[in-house]
Amino acid sequence: MFFSIIIPLYNRPQEIKELLETLTLQSYKNFEVLVIEDGSKDDAEAIIKSFADQLNIKYLVKENAGQGFARNFAFERATGDYFIIFDSDCLIPEDYLEIVNNSLAENWLDAYGGPDAAHPSFTPTQKAISYAMTSPFTTGGIRGNKNSIGQFHPRSFNMGISRQVWEKAGGFIITRLGEDIEYSIRIHSMGFKIGLIPRAKVYHKRRTSLLQFYKQLHFFGRARINVYKFFPNELKLVHFFPALFTLCVLFTIISNIFSWRIAALCNIIAILIILLIFFHSLTKNKSLKIAFLSVLASFIQLTAYGLGFMQDFWKRVILKRP
């Protein structure tokens, strides 16, 4: 099978260099790479050209319109039987394409998603963020778990679709704010077979600071409401959990300020959650520093998502504003 690897890029030349280096090491060689420069001021043209003798690579440039429409731009120019989408801040294990090719040969999927993990070279903060985004105590492990609640929705940091899917479903109809979730739901609705390939993992750097992580997760919370506007039935009870968690945190803080009797119970619950996350991360990462940062990252992950979710729920669902 011939794969077209599609990578939208916006002002991240160093990231794309590291990603392309991992693609040169793939054990499966039957693929092309399309990098879409989405109106970047700090472009990666020189870096892309430096890989011309190592990869079958195309460098595409367009006006800035967001990652969803940048991927559409590449879909129209890709020649592969199967399109694979990566975020530019990913590192790809050398057996990734071989795993995907073998898996599709044994059990065909019209579209698939894969999990993400932290690479040993990541900073402690990046590893803590990776923990927060994959932990059963924050996301429920749904981003790369075959036992996830409801339908499995591939995410665009590690996602593949067949050419047939693109020809029938078209590309992304929104360019950001949950565009990959909307696309996954639409593919499902057309009767295509979608699933997780558990071994097709990528190493996802995500954000390099907790402040950047907060901004990203606040955006994700808003994105869930954006998806709701397209598919109201896809807003599940589980999506309200970060908002509930955020309200509980605020209530705990207020109860301590006013010395309410219930403050002691709130504090005990908070301590139990902190200890649970801390020791679970310590077991996984074997690092006290990462375990401590994992607690911070997990609270940021839940509260930032919860605040973004509540903001747009109030604005777009209750007040019915655009």
Side-chain angles (χ1 to χ4, degrees):
M1 185 180 299
F2 186 64
F3 294 107
S4 292
I5 296 176
I6 293 168
I7 311 164
L9 185 64
Y10 182 68
N11 290 329
R12 293 182 175 182
Q14 184 56 39
E15 283 187 352
I16 194 64
K17 182 176 185 292
E18 294 173 353
L19 170 52
L20 294 178
E21 285 172 347
T22 65
L23 292 179
T24 65
L25 302 176
Q26 290 298 302
S27 56
Y28 186 89
K29 303 295 185 182
N30 199 20
F31 67 95
E32 65 177 355
V33 181
L34 293 86
V35 178
I36 315 94
E37 194 80 78
D38 188 33
S40 301
K41 294 181 180 179
D42 187 7
D43 69 62
E45 182 176 7
I47 290 173
I48 304 304
K49 288 182 176 178
S50 71
F51 285 89
D53 60 345
Q54 301 176 70
L55 294 168
N56 177 3
I57 191 166
K58 299 175 184 177
Y59 179 61
L60 309 173
V61 180
K62 63 181 293 296
E63 293 182 357
N64 179 258
Q67 63 266 27
F69 294 163
R71 297 179 193 119
N72 291 348
F73 191 78
F75 290 162
E76 295 167 358
R77 292 157 177 79
T79 62
D81 309 303
Y82 215 99
F83 305 157
I84 297 177
I85 303 166
F86 294 135
D87 281 352
S88 62
D89 58 350
C90 289
L91 302 177
I92 315 303
E94 62 185 25
D95 58 352
Y96 177 94
L97 290 178
E98 185 175 354
I99 288 171
V100 170
N101 185 67
N102 292 341
S103 179
L104 293 176
E106 295 173 5
N107 179 31
W108 175 259
L109 294 171
D110 298 298
Y112 77 87
D116 59 335
H119 191 270
S121 67
F122 287 4
T123 67
T125 298
Q126 288 174 322
K127 290 178 179 178
I129 289 173
S130 179
Y131 171 85
M133 290 300 290
T134 58
S135 168
F137 307 119
T138 51
T139 63
I142 62 174
R143 295 175 68 88
N145 188 341
K146 61 183 178 181
N147 297 318
S148 61
I149 299 172
Q151 291 179 335
F152 171 70
H153 296 152
R155 303 299 177 92
S156 56
F157 64 84
N158 182 8
M159 177 181 186
I161 64 168
S162 68
R163 175 172 287 276
Q164 289 75 19
V165 167
W166 174 67
E167 290 173 348
K168 182 175 180 180
F172 295 87
I173 62 174
I174 52 177
T175 194
R176 52 177 67 91
L177 269 179
E179 80 287 348
D180 52 353
I181 302 175
E182 185 283 327
Y183 196 34
S184 294
I185 296 171
R186 184 154 40 95
I187 294 170
H188 267 294
S189 70
M190 292 181 174
F192 287 109
K193 185 179 180 182
I194 302 179
L196 172 74
I197 302 180
R199 294 180 57 225
K201 69 178 179 182
V202 301
Y203 299 114
H204 198 182
K205 290 183 180 179
R206 303 189 185 279
R207 295 299 179 256
T208 56
S209 74
L210 293 177
L211 177 60
Q212 290 175 327
F213 183 53
Y214 173 88
K215 292 178 180 178
Q216 183 185 44
L217 267 295
H218 187 273
F219 189 82
F220 285 177
R222 295 180 57 215
R224 176 51 65 178
I225 300 302
N226 198 41
V227 171
Y228 162 80
K229 301 299 287 186
F230 289 89
F231 302 100
N233 292 334
E234 290 296 325
L235 189 61
K236 309 297 185 183
L237 188 62
V238 67
H239 298 135
F240 288 83
F241 173 73
L244 178 62
F245 178 87
T246 303
L247 292 174
C248 289
V249 169
L250 292 174
F251 180 78
T252 299
I253 294 171
I254 293 171
S255 65
N256 278 279
I257 291 174
F258 290 98
S259 300
W260 294 345
R261 290 183 178 180
I262 200 171
L265 177 61
C266 292
N267 291 339
I268 291 172
I269 294 173
I271 291 170
L272 288 175
I273 293 172
I274 289 170
L275 291 175
L276 188 65
I277 293 172
F278 180 88
F279 284 107
H280 185 256
S281 176
L282 182 62
T283 301
K284 288 191 66 176
N285 293 294
K286 305 297 189 296
S287 166
L288 288 170
K289 183 176 183 179
I290 295 173
F292 173 74
L293 290 171
S294 293
V295 173
L296 292 178
S298 296
F299 272 72
I300 289 171
Q301 191 266 345
L302 291 167
T303 56
Y305 188 104
L307 289 170
F309 181 93
M310 288 188 289
Q311 171 190 305
D312 275 31
F313 186 87
W314 176 257
K315 175 184 175 182
R316 303 185 68 185
V317 179
I318 303 299
L319 300 181
K320 300 188 182 304
R321 294 176 182 173

